[in-house]
Amino acid sequence: MELIQVKGLKKSFQDTDVLTNVSFSVNKGDVIAVIGPSGAGKSTMLRCLINLEQVDGGTITVEGETLVGDGTYSEHVKVKNITSKMGMVFQSFNLFPHLSVRKNLTMPFMQVKGASKEDADRLAESLIGKVGLSGKMDTMPSTLSGGQKQRVAIARALMLNPDIMLFDEPTSALDPQLTAEVLNVMKQLAADHMTMLVVTHEMSFARDVANKILFMCDGEIAEEGTPEEVFRHPKDRRTAEFFGTSSGNRA
């Protein structure tokens, strides 16, 4: 089942073309790793999907509903409904520093879903346990490590029961040990068949966990395929150069 379809996406900032012609699809249960050099447009593409950036052209459909068609956006209520199907985890955590872990999780859930405090607490306790942070519900973000903050951010995104999880470089600000903590949670989500689109520089995660790779370069998807195809047998010269190998050799 196709959950997301993107066709001909274009995005510029002033005179700089960031996305030139991006097209791809995401099926239910996919774990897609988006890789490529810095400045390729990976994060911008992700932000366009969830309407944090507006596109200049192209079409995005989510579960058969049009977010933007040929550069024209649907009405605000429809856009809000479509983007609510996606949860996003950012590089910089984006937790509310003045709120406890509990309130970081429960407040958005209660506001968006109109849920009771009891239901919100029950779900938050379950999800904070899922990410391995039982006992941290009433701590403040400032007392947590970077890996713990990112796991709280994942739990917060899961509170709204999204159909698709978007990750924008979720481990790039973390040291190797904390990176492993976050990747383990993401691997568990993948094992639970969560549909995920992950912008990452973690090649081991892309190789071992993703079922599809999108290699972005120069504002477009230069290559896509299975990890086996992209890592071991890259067809595009830019992909091969990114891996420091010639086309057809093992990455």
Side-chain angles (χ1 to χ4, degrees):
M1 175 184 175
E2 191 173 78
L3 295 189
I4 299 177
Q5 186 177 77
V6 176
K7 292 182 178 179
L9 214 60
K10 294 178 174 62
K11 174 66 180 177
S12 299
F13 293 104
Q14 296 179 333
D15 296 328
T16 303
D17 294 332
V18 179
L19 302 176
T20 56
N21 184 20
V22 173
S23 301
F24 66 93
S25 61
V26 181
N27 293 323
K28 184 175 177 61
D30 273 348
V31 177
I32 299 178
V34 185
I35 63 175
S38 297
K42 304 184 298 296
S43 294
T44 298
M45 179 270 289
L46 216 61
R47 292 173 65 85
C48 287
L49 290 184
I50 203 163
N51 200 38
L52 293 176
E53 299 285 356
Q54 291 211 328
V55 306
D56 299 319
T59 297
I60 301 172
T61 60
V62 180
E63 297 184 353
E65 295 187 280
T66 300
L67 174 68
V68 54
D70 294 327
T72 300
Y73 280 83
S74 296
E75 61 273 18
H76 175 73
V77 172
K78 186 175 182 181
V79 167
K80 188 175 180 180
N81 179 62
I82 292 170
T83 55
S84 72
K85 300 174 187 296
M86 296 176 277
M88 187 156 179
V89 177
F90 299 87
Q91 175 181 336
S92 55
F93 323 130
N94 287 16
L95 299 178
F96 298 111
H98 61 292
L99 297 180
S100 67
V101 169
R102 181 186 303 275
K103 289 186 177 179
N104 262 283
L105 268 63
T106 59
M107 188 178 72
F109 180 72
M110 292 166 66
Q111 290 177 344
V112 173
K113 299 291 189 181
S116 67
K117 183 178 183 302
E118 292 74 18
D119 286 345
D121 276 344
R122 191 178 305 113
L123 180 58
E125 291 276 6
S126 171
L127 289 174
I128 214 67
K130 185 180 180 72
V131 300
L133 291 174
S134 296
K136 297 289 187 180
M137 284 285 284
D138 295 306
T139 59
M140 299 300 289
S142 61
T143 68
L144 301 176
S145 70
Q148 289 172 330
K149 290 176 183 177
Q150 195 60 291
R151 285 186 279 159
V152 171
I154 292 172
R156 182 177 61 181
L158 292 172
M159 284 288 293
L160 298 178
N161 193 30
D163 294 334
I164 305 143
M165 284 284 284
L166 310 178
F167 293 85
D168 186 13
E169 295 282 9
T171 61
S172 63
L174 306 177
D175 65 33
Q177 180 179 351
L178 301 182
T179 291
E181 294 177 4
V182 174
L183 291 180
N184 284 337
V185 172
M186 294 171 64
K187 289 174 184 176
Q188 184 56 57
L189 291 177
D192 292 341
H193 308 294
M194 170 62 75
T195 305
M196 299 161 63
L197 190 60
V198 184
V199 172
T200 184
H201 282 106
E202 295 294 331
M203 294 300 109
S204 60
F205 177 87
R207 183 184 289 110
D208 299 337
V209 182
N211 67 297
K212 185 161 82 170
I213 306 292
L214 301 180
F215 178 78
M216 287 190 69
C217 192
D218 303 323
E220 64 179 5
I221 295 173
E223 189 159 354
E224 68 175 283
T226 66
E228 169 77 13
E229 291 166 341
V230 175
F231 280 95
R232 296 174 68 92
H233 307 287
K235 296 181 178 65
D236 190 278
R237 171 187 54 79
R238 293 167 294 180
T239 314
E241 289 176 352
F242 179 77
F243 292 131
T245 181
S246 60
S247 182
N249 289 342
R250 179 172 180 170

